[in-house]
Amino acid sequence: MPYAINSDDLPNSVDKRLELRPQHLAWLRENTPRLLAAGAKRNEAGDPIGSLVIVDVETLDEAESFAQADPYSQQGLFAKVEISAWNKSFFNFEDLT
């Protein structure tokens, strides 16, 4: 079952996010089979302000464990993390990068 992990960064933490980014990306690559989508949330100026990760796991407990294993989470980047079941109604597979 897909779960959306919606995380908000602590205020004024862009430098910390950038410092941890290589570890975070390596962790995402290790977990690619469980990922449906992942990316940074940005403010109007384009600065990262959080993350949105959609992970395919069986239970909320697994989603919570997944979120806690993120280097961003382990290093205290997030002010808030919300996890909810996600119902895929539509998904466009076009690469937007």
Side-chain angles (χ1 to χ4, degrees):
M1 164 177 251
Y3 286 86
I5 303 168
N6 186 5
S7 306
D8 295 335
D9 292 354
L10 291 167
N12 304 310
S13 59
V14 173
D15 290 341
K16 184 172 190 171
R17 174 177 273 272
L18 294 176
E19 174 188 326
L20 296 170
R21 190 169 189 264
Q23 295 170 51
H24 170 74
L25 292 177
W27 175 78
L28 287 175
R29 282 187 204 96
E30 290 172 13
N31 287 283
T32 297
R34 295 168 34 170
L35 291 175
L36 297 178
K41 300 187 309 185
R42 298 191 177 274
N43 64 17
E44 290 297 318
D47 297 322
I49 57 168
S51 298
L52 177 62
V53 176
I54 302 175
V55 62
D56 190 17
V57 295
E58 295 299 318
T59 66
L60 177 59
D61 286 342
E62 287 180 81
E64 289 171 345
S65 293
F66 187 90
Q68 292 167 358
D70 185 336
Y72 283 163
S73 183
Q74 290 184 343
Q75 297 298 317
L77 177 65
F78 299 136
K80 179 178 165 184
V81 177
E82 294 181 340
I83 302 173
S84 58
W86 181 70
N87 184 40
K88 181 184 76 165
S89 296
F90 176 80
F91 192 83
N92 182 348
F93 290 93
E94 181 180 335
D95 183 6
L96 301 176
T97 59

